[in-house]
Amino acid sequence: MAYILPPLPYAYEALEPYIDSQTMHLHHDKHHQTYVNNANAALESLSAEIQAFSPSTLIQNLDKVPADKLTAIRNNAGGHVNHTLFWELLKIGTELKGELKAAIEKDFGSVETFKEKFATAAATRFGSGWAWLVLQNGKLAVVSTANQDSPLMGEKYAGVSGTPVLALDVWEHAYYLKYQNRRADYINAFWNVVNWDKVAELYATAKK
């Protein structure tokens, strides 16, 4: 079954002034759609078993993908999975609290230390990629990946592993219209649009 672009779960301007409407239109309607289109094109010649995988299951089973299609699947199914999660992680007005906040304080020492580590991972990712908060072996950790790799792909492909609970896209297309080359400003603005309720939900699910 062909993958489809999920609708944005809010209005394009819902994240203003931190992420602008024009960027959201371009990022969701053009960039994410292209990942979906390219993933579907790469899947056309693959086995029925692989075609039946959900996007997240597919990127967790890259060893089953033929070598000549691996890069296309890794990049484009990875981009589809990463962006589908990213849209859900954005919302103005939520609060870090409860079990998630306690876990962050336990595993990082403080919320501020966590934010510093996450911001550093995002700022120092050379070129394009992502910063992540993941659950690894029952503990929260900050990691980063290149391009459209995901921790779900595991060490072999992404160089890291874990279940994502928070993600930040640091490809230039995610911020360049508003922030130009000021990635650090975009990262700082991100904390105003984190959907902590969704992060808490993902954390609770990952712990099960």
Side-chain angles (χ1 to χ4, degrees), residues 83-122:
H83 284 87
T84 299
L85 173 63
F86 187 53
W87 309 135
E88 295 181 349
L89 292 168
L90 303 176
K91 186 177 182 180
I92 291 177
T94 66
E95 181 186 351
L96 174 59
K97 58 188 178 182
E99 187 179 12
L100 174 64
K101 183 179 181 183
I104 286 174
E105 290 171 340
K106 176 176 175 288
D107 293 337
F108 294 98
S110 69
V111 172
E112 283 311 308
T113 299
F114 153 66
K115 287 185 173 182
E116 288 169 10
K117 285 180 180 289
F118 190 92
T120 297

Side-chain angles (χ1 to χ4, degrees), residues 51-77:
Q51 290 183 14
F53 285 155
S54 70
S56 58
T57 300
L58 176 60
I59 68 168
Q60 292 177 79
N61 287 275
L62 292 177
D63 283 344
K64 295 187 176 183
V65 177
D68 64 326
K69 297 291 184 181
L70 179 59
T71 297
I73 291 294
R74 178 178 174 178
N75 289 342
N76 293 290

Side-chain angles (χ1 to χ4, degrees), residues 126-140:
F126 182 76
S128 302
W130 293 74
W132 305 88
L133 176 65
V134 299
L135 191 66
Q136 293 176 336
N137 302 315
K139 230 184 144 182
L140 290 168

Side-chain angles (χ1 to χ4, degrees), residues 150-179:
S150 163
L152 293 173
M153 295 175 180
E155 296 275 352
K156 179 177 178 179
Y157 294 101
V160 297
S161 61
T163 303
V165 298
L166 179 64
L168 176 58
D169 186 349
V170 292
W171 282 63
E172 285 188 343
H173 65 233
Y175 63 86
Y176 209 84
L177 288 179
K178 182 174 179 66
Y179 295 98

